[in-house]
Every structure is written in structure tokens, then in C-alpha cells.
Amino acid sequence: MAFKPGGPGKISFPGAYWTDPEPSGEFATLVIPIKRVSNLIILEAKVDTMEGNFVLDTGAPYLVLNQTYFRNYPHYNEQDAGGINGDAGVAFRTSVRNLDIAELHYDRLLADVTNLSAIENSRNIKVLGLLGTKLFSKFVITVDLFQNQLYIHKLNKDGEIPAAEQLYHDPILKMPFYYANNAILFKASVNDNQLWFAFDTGAETNLIDYRQAKKLLPTLQVINRSKLTGIGGSTFEVIYAKFEKLSVGERVFTNNKVIITSLEQMGKAYGRDIDGMLGSDFFGRAVFTINFVKKEFIMYTNKNE
């Protein structure tokens, strides 16, 4: 589990194996209302007979369920679940008969079950689980936080949204991403220092790893430092800072905020070291689209502007 500033999607399951889900549904584009809780993106979904709130979380690899509500599901195996703030307790693998996200339907899904109570307690909301990247691997998703809408698009034979279903035009940013272990990764520059970032809709701010921050500190404006206690009882320091220039693709974003902490556990989850994570402070500035088939990341200005 992550500490509050980083969001919920920082759970790693070493050695986890998850088969490709087979989605079904009669639609061209699904329009799903979004609820915002703090900077989290919440949607309604249904697992078997239980319906409620799920976090859209590209920092999670697949379906993750809250053990508070799914502890009695069959245990296939148990394993330690680690997060960026230490041990998150014991997780187990299970299966669900059905997952429904509006008219999008999945049968017989594997899922991991772990403790998500920190999300619920800090935000006073019941959360049944996390919806990770693997669930959307055959689609394009568009998130419009200005209209509080999520769009799930089926693709044409060229791996694109059909022209009749295209809602946004004239992108301000379009770039490829690297998809590794179900994580969205791309290069970006912080004050002209190039780093590898994971794109994480479950992160409530941007994060940079301590190891990279050492060379960046002269270019950062430190706002404060604090000690936090992780779920496993470990204490660690985080630094909250600002920096002027974030360059992603050919787009420059100014007036950025970041938390500096250890991302070592997340690197293990992704199977490679990462230098940082781009969260709500980044993606909340524009409508964004993720094409999982073509591995493209696109941003648009609010269509009402």
C-alpha cells in the first residue's frame, strides 16, 4: 500500500501471473461517470454480486480486491504484497465469476486480494478494489476529468478509435510509451534532466525516487520535509517540492509539484528501476487517452475550451 500522497496503486505482487482477460460487450464506446475523491478516479463496477467503488489505477497491473469484502473468497496461494511505504500485509490469489464495468463484461477473472483499508480510512469512502491496466489492454480509454467521464473505445482494424467515435481532436501531446509488466512507462525531463517515469492514475501527485533527486535538488524548491510511518511500521522521510519545467514528448508543463521518496519497491514490481511516477498533478491538466493496442499516450485540452 502507498502512503496518502502517492495514491493507492503502489502494490507489488512478486511472481504474479495473470492471463489475458477476455472482455465482451455490445458497444462502440462506453461512457462511464467518474467520481473524484481527493485526486482519485472512482468508477462503479460489480464483482459477482457486490457492486460499488473501484479506483481506476494504471499503477496496478490487473484486478485487485479489498480483503475487507473478499476475504472469504477461495485462496489459491498467498504471498507478501509490498508497497512503496513497506509491507502491506499478506495477499492471496483468487478468482471471480464476473466483473462488470457498465456494459463491459469479463468472465472467470483471476484477482489479487490485499488490504486497501488505508485508502478507505484516509478518504472516508468504501473501496472494493482497483481496476488495473490489464483489464483495458484491448481498448483505448479516454479520461475527461473536466466532464467527469471515462470513455472506453473499441478499436478498428488499424488499432484506432473509429472516426465516428472520435470525441477529441487536435492533441497537444502524442507520444509512444513502453509497456512493461503491465506498466505504462515513458521518458520525461525534469528541469532538463531525463528520467524514466511510470504513468499512474492512482498516484495523487508526482513522485521522484531519492536516488535521482540527489542530482535534481539544486533545481528544486523544497516546500517541506516530513516523516511518515508505513503500514509495516517503518518510518521514512518524504520531501515535498516544486520545479518549473516538466518536458513530456514535445510538450512543456510548468509549475509542477513532486514528492521525493523511495520507489525501490515499485521498481521491483515493474521488473526495472523507475526514476519517478507521473500522477494527478500531471494528468489532471488535460483530457488524456491511452491506446493500449498501439501503445500511444495522447493529451487534449478540455473540449469546452
Side-chain angles (χ1 to χ4, degrees):
M1 279 300 308
F3 56 86
K4 184 177 179 180
K10 318 301 166 294
I11 302 169
S12 60
F13 298 98
Y17 176 77
W18 209 74
T19 56
D20 286 338
E22 287 297 331
S24 62
E26 296 299 322
F27 63 89
T29 298
L30 274 183
V31 184
I32 301 173
I34 289 171
K35 293 184 288 188
R36 302 299 304 282
V37 178
S38 297
N39 288 322
L40 298 181
I41 300 171
I42 307 290
L43 11 155
E44 292 280 332
K46 184 177 181 180
V47 170
D48 296 337
T49 61
M50 193 171 301
E51 187 171 6
N53 298 315
F54 286 78
V55 179
L56 178 68
D57 190 354
T58 61
Y62 34 71
L63 177 64
V64 179
L65 300 174
N66 191 342
Q67 70 179 12
T68 300
Y69 312 108
F70 296 91
R71 62 166 57 93
N72 294 325
Y73 268 56
H75 290 49
Y76 288 165
N77 65 327
E78 294 188 354
Q79 54 195 329
D80 288 335
I84 62 175
N85 63 335
D87 183 19
V90 174
F92 64 89
R93 180 69 45 78
T94 192
S95 66
V96 301
R97 293 185 299 276
N98 302 292
L99 168 66
D100 294 300
I101 308 171
E103 285 76 42
L104 177 59
H105 180 76
Y106 300 86
D107 287 319
R108 301 289 179 185
L109 280 181
L110 290 177
D112 280 313
V113 182
T114 194
N115 183 4
L116 300 181
S117 61
I119 306 173
E120 298 185 303
N121 295 339
S122 62
R123 297 160 185 86
N124 194 29
I125 181 175
K126 180 178 179 179
V127 173
L128 297 185
L130 314 175
L131 302 176
T133 55
K134 199 76 169 176
L135 294 169
F136 307 104
S137 62
K138 298 181 179 180
F139 300 103
V140 172
I141 64 170
T142 296
V143 177
D144 185 339
L145 298 178
F146 304 96
Q147 303 295 321
N148 286 323
Q149 302 279 9
L150 167 70
Y151 302 92
I152 302 176
H153 305 276
K154 286 186 177 178
L155 306 176
N156 61 21
K157 59 181 176 58
D158 298 318
E160 301 278 1
I161 301 173
E165 300 294 323
Q166 183 67 51
L167 301 173
Y168 300 89
H169 304 277
D170 301 322
I172 61 172
L173 170 65
K174 185 174 184 178
M175 62 180 293
F177 62 81
Y178 180 59
Y179 196 51
N181 292 332
N182 305 309
I184 298 168
L185 306 171
F186 46 70
K187 288 184 178 179
S189 295
V190 173
N191 293 339
D192 300 319
N193 295 276
Q194 193 172 78
L195 306 173
W196 273 104
F197 282 90
F199 177 72
D200 187 355
T201 57
E204 296 190 67
T205 188
N206 300 326
L207 303 170
I208 292 179
D209 186 74
Y210 274 130
R211 292 165 292 183
Q212 291 297 332
K214 292 178 181 178
K215 66 182 180 182
L216 294 174
L217 275 176
T219 70
L220 303 179
Q221 179 187 345
V222 176
I223 299 172
N224 62 43
R225 300 169 184 257
S226 61
K227 294 282 187 181
L228 294 180
T229 301
I231 293 173
S234 58
T235 300
F236 54 98
E237 182 184 47
V238 296
I239 299 171
Y240 187 50
K242 294 196 300 185
F243 63 95
E244 181 57 26
K245 188 168 72 170
L246 173 68
S247 301
V248 183
E250 298 181 354
R251 186 80 179 183
V252 176
F253 301 86
T254 59
N255 191 24
N256 303 279
K257 299 174 184 177
V258 68
I259 285 177
I260 300 169
T261 188
S262 173
L263 297 179
E264 183 178 0
Q265 289 294 330
M266 291 312 302
K268 291 179 181 178
Y270 295 147
R272 57 168 296 157
D273 287 340
I274 59 170
D275 302 318
M277 306 182 81
L278 293 179
S280 179
D281 186 63
F282 167 66
F283 65 75
R285 301 180 182 214
V287 176
F288 65 90
T289 292
I290 304 170
N291 186 327
F292 287 95
V293 175
K294 297 191 74 173
K295 298 178 177 60
E296 287 182 338
F297 180 80
I298 308 168
M299 295 185 97
Y300 304 88
T301 56
N302 181 4
K303 65 180 180 180
N304 285 345
E305 294 181 345

